[in-house]
Amino acid sequence: DSTLTPLATYQEAMVGQQYDGYVVAIKGFGALVRFYGDVKGIVTIAEMSDEYVDRPQDAFHVGQVVRCRVLK
């Protein structure tokens, strides 16, 4: 149950805003997150946490709901 505005199109994405999505894939470089519709974003390993993450699969799993901030 998110209190955040849903992100349904790429045009709606605003830098600095947070949106809830879920992890659809884990790769060596980070994670692929899906929002509403077919909107997807990449979370690189450097952006995953304030703490050091060596392997993305140790920090996240497919299906996990995550809160993301649009950086650019």
Side-chain angles (χ1 to χ4, degrees), residues 44-64:
T44 66
I45 196 167
E47 299 164 333
M48 287 188 153
S49 174
D50 291 334
E51 298 176 16
Y52 176 74
V53 175
D54 184 41
R55 297 171 4 126
Q57 60 270 31
D58 291 341
F60 297 95
H61 62 272
V62 172
Q64 180 176 354

Side-chain angles (χ1 to χ4, degrees), residues 27-40:
K27 304 290 183 186
F29 60 82
L32 183 62
V33 176
R34 176 172 282 162
F35 302 93
Y36 290 94
D38 200 30
V39 177
K40 297 176 192 154

Side-chain angles (χ1 to χ4, degrees), residues 5-15 17 19-20 34-41 70:
T5 302
L7 179 59
T9 67
Y10 290 104
Q11 292 78 16
E12 293 175 0
M14 296 175 56
V15 173
Q17 288 293 107
Y19 302 95
D20 287 336
R34 176 172 282 162
F35 302 93
Y36 290 94
D38 200 30
V39 177
K40 297 176 192 154
V70 177

